[in-house]
Amino acid sequence: DIQMTQFPSTLSASIGDRVSITCRASQSISGWLAWYQQKSGKAPTLLIYKASTLESGVPSRFSGSGSGTEFTLSISSLQADDVATYYCQQYDSYSKITFGQGTRLEIK
Amino acid sequence: QVQLVQSGAEVKKPGASVKISCKASGYTFISYFVHWVRQAPGQGLEWVGLIKPSAGTTTYSQSFQGRVTMTADTSTSTLYLEVTSLTSEDTALYFCAREGMGPLDHWGQGTLVTVS
């Protein structure tokens, strides 16, 4: 199975900061990676797919990059509404998806 | 608009079974795979498996093989997840999610299963 390692596990930043979260796959997944945002007590929502394609309705301050085994989710200017846990997910191994462990983003 | 509406919270005894439903609307039911994902309290997301509603074919995570059954009722556009031989470790929020050509683009609100 493809393992996804996500870091940091917790991130604390100030409003307006640029923040980045990294996700590393145990083998190449080309660009078959998605990022989700999960706010407390809610279902996850899709932010980015195919590593860098922004889902409709997602603010442009979110961006994704990477290919192969290393991927990054960036927020260009952190807003209070971005407090959440973020997960990466690979879908290269079709019909057997895996998630990263999650990154909890807090406001400093 | 696409909606996945799940059944309400369940409380079960250890050793019992639970069957959760997920009613889909706003899209062509048989055209999209549906995945089930669970989240234990304070933990991350764990993939349970997926079903292809048009054919009823399923793929389960090895972690749940033999203990879960996913089914789809095309007449009511409803998906079901049954988990048997429950233990306290199965206490979790269970989500259904539609697969949009790879990523999970729409999620149900979650069903809390408590085993106690």
Side-chain angles (χ1 to χ4, degrees):
Chain A
D1 291 3
I2 299 175
Q3 308 301 318
M4 305 302 292
T5 303
Q6 196 176 327
F7 52 90
S9 55
T10 306
L11 181 55
S12 185
S14 301
I15 299 292
D17 281 356
R18 179 179 181 84
V19 300
S20 294
I21 298 168
T22 299
C23 186
R24 191 168 287 154
S26 59
Q27 63 190 69
S28 177
I29 57 170
S30 298
W32 305 118
L33 184 103
W35 290 97
Y36 300 88
Q37 177 190 67
Q38 186 180 32
K39 296 189 176 181
S40 183
K42 301 291 187 183
T45 58
L46 178 64
L47 293 175
I48 286 167
Y49 61 95
K50 228 185 301 181
S52 60
T53 303
L54 208 62
E55 174 73 341
S56 175
V58 173
S60 58
R61 64 180 179 274
F62 290 91
S63 63
S65 63
S67 65
T69 61
E70 188 121 342
F71 301 86
T72 301
L73 171 70
S74 297
I75 306 173
S76 60
S77 178
L78 186 64
Q79 304 298 306
D81 188 52
D82 301 334
V83 169
T85 300
Y86 293 83
Y87 294 93
C88 62
Q89 175 234 323
Q90 68 79 18
Y91 51 99
D92 174 80
S93 179
Y94 195 68
S95 82
K96 200 177 255 189
I97 66 174
T98 45
F99 293 92
Q101 303 95 318
T103 295
R104 187 174 153 196
L105 177 58
E106 305 169 339
I107 302 293
K108 204 181 287 184
Chain B
Q1 74 281 22
V2 174
Q3 280 195 303
L4 297 169
V5 179
Q6 297 185 226
S7 50
E10 302 266 8
V11 179
K12 296 292 182 181
K13 298 283 188 193
S17 299
V18 68
K19 192 170 185 177
I20 301 163
S21 68
C22 169
K23 183 166 176 60
S25 62
Y27 70 96
T28 303
F29 180 70
I30 59 172
S31 296
Y32 292 82
F33 291 15
V34 172
H35 296 245
W36 290 89
V37 175
R38 81 174 186 182
Q39 186 171 39
Q43 302 300 309
L45 302 172
E46 181 180 24
W47 183 69
V48 179
L50 72 90
I51 183 166
K52 183 179 179 182
S54 60
T57 51
T58 54
T59 302
Y60 302 133
S61 165
Q62 266 191 313
S63 303
F64 298 93
Q65 201 83 34
R67 269 205 322 128
V68 299
T69 303
M70 296 176 188
T71 54
D73 183 342
T74 56
S75 68
T76 61
S77 299
T78 303
L79 299 308
Y80 297 94
L81 171 69
E82 183 173 27
V83 186
T84 61
S85 303
L86 291 166
T87 72
S88 59
E89 294 188 350
D90 294 312
T91 293
L93 198 51
Y94 289 77
F95 296 100
C96 58
R98 189 187 82 162
E99 180 190 311
M101 301 292 284
L104 306 181
D105 61 358
H106 289 87
W107 294 63
Q109 83 275 20
T111 296
L112 179 62
V113 175
T114 303
V115 184
S116 176

